[in-house]
Amino acid sequence: MRRSTADKALRAVREDWEDIGTMDPLWGVYSTPEGQFGQWDTAAFFETGEQEVAALMAKLEAFDRPARRAQALDFGCGVGRLTRALGARFGHVYGVDVSAPMVDRARQLNAEHPACEFVTNTEDRLGFVPDGHVDLVYTRIVLQHLGSRPLIKRYIAELLRTVRHDGILVFQVLTHIPVWRRIQIRHRAYVLLHAAGLPRELLYERLRLMPFTATHISEREVLAAVAAMGGRVLRVEPEPVGRSGVESRIFYVAAGDRAPQQ
């Protein structure tokens, strides 16, 4: 992926998520109809994260990974829905997001959870995390919003780089979007009208346009990206297909052989 192309794609992602992080951060993280336009109950919102992480940790018992619970990384953390739950199970958790408003809100909402460290990262590399440093990397409902397949593959490789030899990377991607849904008119209209000077609140709250987009990537491309980093796919788990026809997969991946990190 050329540097200029990567920078442009990531800049567009940042702008989208700074908008939603300012206007409706909880709904942007976990988009239920009843939670939109600031209607999420905060306690109920964080309870969804607790339930999801509890289910994740139960599934990971089948892999005997991660071997330790020292470090975790929640990529695309938003306001810390999953970071908080991971922080109750790991010594330290990085919550990483491209949106500064999201990270600011995460710090406010999780001030009493010292295991959680929130970081704004606007590059396609997590330079603050050493190779093979993290026991568990988890990201869900995030990679699909990166806007391009090359950027998705870039981040898969980068996330896998951070995983310990006895750790695990768990990530979800959309593997198919029906052709008629790929046009994403509501997002295109949002971008064009916002660029023309219309206020983002008008576009989102009154016109019901969409501040973010969705991108799919085939399972074959994902497997190739993992293999290129020397990773080992432990399981591919299809998620239920809804009325929209969108298909999603969860990948459980072990890092390639590398010397243990202290």
Side-chain angles (χ1 to χ4, degrees):
M1 191 174 185
R2 293 181 179 178
R3 181 75 270 153
S4 60
T5 303
D7 290 344
K8 182 178 180 180
L10 196 52
R11 183 168 60 251
V13 172
R14 186 181 73 247
E15 291 171 354
D16 287 349
W17 287 94
E18 286 181 346
D19 282 1
I20 197 64
T22 300
M23 295 186 295
D24 203 357
L26 273 64
W27 180 82
V29 170
Y30 201 61
S31 304
T32 62
E34 63 274 14
Q36 197 170 13
F37 307 118
Q39 295 303 304
W40 258 115
D41 174 79
T42 304
F45 172 83
F46 279 104
E47 178 58 25
T48 68
E50 171 60 31
Q51 293 174 2
E52 183 171 328
V53 169
L56 169 68
M57 299 308 296
K59 287 183 179 181
L60 294 184
E61 291 179 2
F63 305 112
D64 292 325
R65 291 172 182 266
R68 311 182 316 161
R69 293 194 182 185
Q71 301 282 345
L73 192 154
D74 174 14
F75 180 73
C77 66
V79 299
R81 183 179 76 96
L82 302 174
T83 322
R84 179 186 294 193
L86 289 168
R89 295 165 170 83
F90 288 78
H92 177 261
V93 185
Y94 296 104
V96 183
D97 204 280
V98 72
S99 169
M102 284 286 193
V103 169
D104 289 344
R105 188 70 174 133
R107 289 170 178 156
Q108 294 169 7
L109 290 171
N110 297 282
E112 298 180 359
H113 297 268
C116 302
E117 176 186 355
F118 294 98
V119 181
T120 303
N121 188 80
T122 59
E123 301 178 359
D124 60 353
R125 176 174 172 79
L126 304 176
F128 59 94
V129 184
D131 292 358
H133 180 67
V134 180
D135 301 294
L136 168 66
V137 176
Y138 185 49
T139 184
R140 187 167 180 270
I141 325 178
V142 174
L143 297 176
Q144 64 201 46
H145 295 308
L146 290 180
S148 76
R149 293 186 185 93
L151 197 55
I152 293 172
K153 289 188 283 188
R154 170 63 185 145
Y155 272 114
I156 290 172
E158 181 63 3
L159 294 173
L160 189 53
R161 176 192 66 79
T162 70
V163 178
R164 277 179 58 93
H165 71 289
D166 53 4
I168 191 167
L169 162 63
V170 183
F171 65 91
Q172 170 266 339
V173 294
L174 300 183
T175 51
H176 175 72
I177 299 176
V179 174
W180 65 274
R181 293 186 64 91
R182 296 178 195 176
I183 302 172
Q184 301 185 63
I185 292 293
R186 293 169 67 199
H187 179 258
R188 292 175 184 268
Y190 179 93
V191 172
L192 290 173
L193 293 174
H194 190 27
L198 272 68
R200 59 192 177 193
E201 291 81 7
L202 169 67
L203 300 174
Y204 174 62
E205 296 173 8
R206 298 289 298 278
L207 301 183
R208 300 297 199 263
L209 300 181
M210 191 60 60
F212 49 78
T213 186
T215 301
H216 72 285
I217 181 172
S218 71
E219 182 175 332
R220 178 182 56 80
E221 289 178 280
V222 172
L223 295 176
V226 170
M229 281 294 292
R232 179 162 54 94
V233 175
L234 305 176
R235 178 188 296 172
V236 180
E237 182 177 283
E239 295 195 296
V241 179
R243 293 182 180 179
S244 67
V246 173
E247 297 179 14
S248 174
R249 301 273 192 281
I250 299 176
F251 293 80
Y252 299 79
V253 180
D257 293 334
R258 59 163 72 99
Q261 300 292 310
Q262 300 300 318

